Amino acid sequence: MGACPHAWQQHHLHHRGRMWAASPAFRRQLFLLRSLAPTCADGGRASSSSLRPHLMYAAAGPVYEADAEAVVRRITPPLDRARHKGQAGKIAIIGGCREYTGAPYFAAISALRVGADLSHVFCTKDAATVIKSYSPELIVHPILEESYSVRDDERESVSSSILAEVIKWMERFDCIVDCVGNIMRHARQANIPTVVDGDGLFLITNNIGLVEDNSLAILTPNVYEYKRLVQKVLNCEVNEENASEQLTALCQKIGGVTIMRKGKADLISDGKKVTQVSTFGSPRRCGGQGDILSGSVAVFSSWARHFLLSNEQPKETSVNPMVLGCIAGSLLLRKAAALAFEKNKRSTVTTDIIEFLGQSLEDICPAGR
């Protein structure tokens, strides 16, 4: 924020803070944080003072620093002997071709490392054997086609055949990570949450209708992908001085989607409020961390959705499970990256970070709780 404001600016910010604290939006957020608070040893809840949102004032108004650990603890399901395979989450990753086998693998294996029971990958035939060789834990479906191998007059029939094959599995999934337009449409019709990253973001930037008015869609753009979205949807350039206001406007313009703007601090919004996760992760920016995030967010979003459905919230204080999933996924990646960097320093790579996902979650939310 630069230098300290003058006295009159400090008074103005303080006054705005008091007005915001009295607003219905603030009270709803405080209710959420209280409802997500970990239960204390004496059976009560953690004190409201420890959960009160930390207001970060920007030109556009307050941005909440999420109490991300409380969110993770509350939405992560307990390990219960009565549960059966699949109840902790079934995730599908759509994508992967001959040149790109790492991204779907990183997303799929991260989902398992976070705690999903089953993780599927739908990819091309050329990619399938490679991805299977990375891990026997993944269920790999070699049904997609390389674009260069399909003639123009065959595209429609091939696309229909692929969609029909995916539809056979679709209803089993709790969340998908997708970059294929027709599958996005069907997931929306089936009311299945969808995380869109990488090539999928390039696709929707040129066809916003794929996610328009879809409250179960999560977009996770990096700085370049976010710039393209802002230019396309808002017809302007990225404005860092009004970052929260612009992010809110972008969500509202697309209609109902949740966007996690990745950066030094991850900014998360569904068009109603802006939350940030600024826990420091790692200075090492190896490729593949966005794929870890996609898989993690997919799992946490499905857990948050089940948690809220089984613990029904009053309508006036309803919480968006997609936002909670983003908060939890952001925190876990940052903590895992920090542990991996502590051990490996400059040689840290994506697989090192994945290895620390389990420990990071255990540190926040012990399995024996």
Side-chain angles (χ1 to χ4, degrees):
M1 292 177 61
C4 294
H6 296 298
W8 71 269
Q9 291 175 305
Q10 292 175 328
H11 172 76
H12 176 64
L13 292 178
H14 179 67
H15 178 65
R16 286 174 63 189
R18 286 189 297 170
M19 290 180 62
W20 180 260
S23 71
F26 181 90
R27 292 196 298 272
R28 286 196 298 272
Q29 184 74 3
L30 187 57
F31 176 90
L32 162 62
L33 290 175
R34 283 174 174 163
S35 71
L36 292 175
T39 303
C40 298
D42 61 1
R45 296 211 175 265
S47 67
S48 61
S49 61
S50 67
L51 298 172
R52 189 171 291 114
H54 177 60
L55 293 176
M56 303 291 293
Y57 285 97
V63 178
Y64 289 109
E65 177 67 35
D67 189 346
E69 290 199 6
V71 172
V72 171
R73 282 192 290 267
R74 202 59 179 165
I75 67 176
T76 300
L79 294 175
D80 188 338
R81 293 182 181 180
R83 285 176 171 263
H84 56 75
K85 182 175 66 177
Q87 284 189 304
K90 302 176 290 296
I91 308 300
I93 313 299
I94 315 295
C97 60
R98 182 171 59 183
E99 293 85 0
Y100 296 100
T101 58
Y105 166 73
F106 290 147
I109 201 67
S110 294
L112 289 179
R113 290 291 188 178
V114 170
D117 285 339
L118 297 169
S119 191
H120 296 247
V121 178
F122 292 81
C123 61
T124 67
K125 297 178 180 67
D126 288 342
T129 302
V130 179
I131 294 173
K132 284 181 179 180
S133 73
Y134 293 154
S135 173
E137 305 289 344
L138 305 178
I139 303 168
V140 182
H141 307 261
I143 65 168
L144 303 184
E145 292 288 347
E146 301 277 4
S147 58
Y148 63 79
S149 67
V150 181
R151 298 199 313 266
D152 289 343
D153 61 339
E154 296 177 329
R155 289 187 184 281
E156 187 173 342
S157 62
V158 169
S159 178
S160 297
S161 176
I162 291 171
L163 181 60
E165 187 65 28
V166 175
I167 287 174
K168 294 177 184 178
W169 292 85
M170 186 71 75
E171 292 184 359
R172 308 182 190 194
F173 301 135
D174 298 297
C175 189
I176 66 172
V177 180
D178 195 5
C179 65
V180 179
N182 286 341
I183 297 174
M184 284 188 204
R185 293 188 184 96
H186 189 80
R188 179 175 183 167
Q189 293 169 1
N191 208 34
I192 297 172
T194 304
V195 180
V196 185
D197 186 41
D199 288 345
L201 289 170
F202 180 82
L203 178 66
I204 67 161
T205 298
N206 295 288
N207 189 355
I208 296 298
L210 289 172
V211 294
E212 194 171 22
D213 298 320
N214 183 0
S215 62
L216 294 179
I218 298 172
L219 315 184
T220 59
N222 61 24
V223 60
Y224 304 109
E225 293 157 347
Y226 186 75
K227 179 180 179 180
R228 287 194 290 267
L229 270 174
V230 168
Q231 290 173 336
K232 180 71 174 183
V233 177
L234 299 181
N235 196 29
C236 64
E237 297 300 320
V238 174
N239 187 337
E240 296 295 350
E241 292 185 359
N242 294 288
S244 62
E245 185 178 55
Q246 189 172 63
L247 177 58
T248 301
L250 182 61
C251 294
Q252 292 174 347
K253 186 74 172 180
I254 297 175
V257 301
T258 296
I259 298 178
M260 180 195 294
R261 179 188 173 182
K262 296 183 290 193
K264 182 178 179 181
D266 292 334
L267 295 182
I268 302 161
S269 180
D270 58 359
K272 298 174 184 176
K273 54 184 173 288
V274 179
T275 305
Q276 75 171 14
V277 178
S278 62
T279 301
F280 182 71
S282 164
R284 179 80 168 96
R285 303 308 306 153
C286 54
Q289 294 184 66
D291 304 311
I292 298 176
L293 182 66
S294 296
S296 301
V297 167
V299 177
F300 280 121
S301 296
S302 68
W303 286 352
R305 196 176 183 213
H306 287 302
F307 172 81
L308 293 175
L309 287 173
S310 59
N311 296 270
E312 191 171 338
Q313 304 291 317
K315 187 174 181 179
E316 65 275 10
T317 57
S318 61
V319 179
N320 187 342
M322 305 299 104
V323 170
L324 299 184
C326 288
I327 291 171
S330 173
L331 177 69
L332 194 69
L333 171 60
R334 287 165 177 266
K335 285 190 170 291
L339 290 173
F341 183 77
E342 182 180 351
K343 177 182 178 182
N344 298 288
K345 298 300 188 287
R346 289 183 185 273
S347 68
T348 301
V349 293
T350 302
T351 50
D352 297 324
I353 299 173
I354 291 171
E355 287 301 314
F356 281 100
L357 289 173
Q359 180 181 328
S360 299
L361 184 55
E362 181 68 14
D363 290 344
I364 300 168
C365 184
R369 65 194 171 106

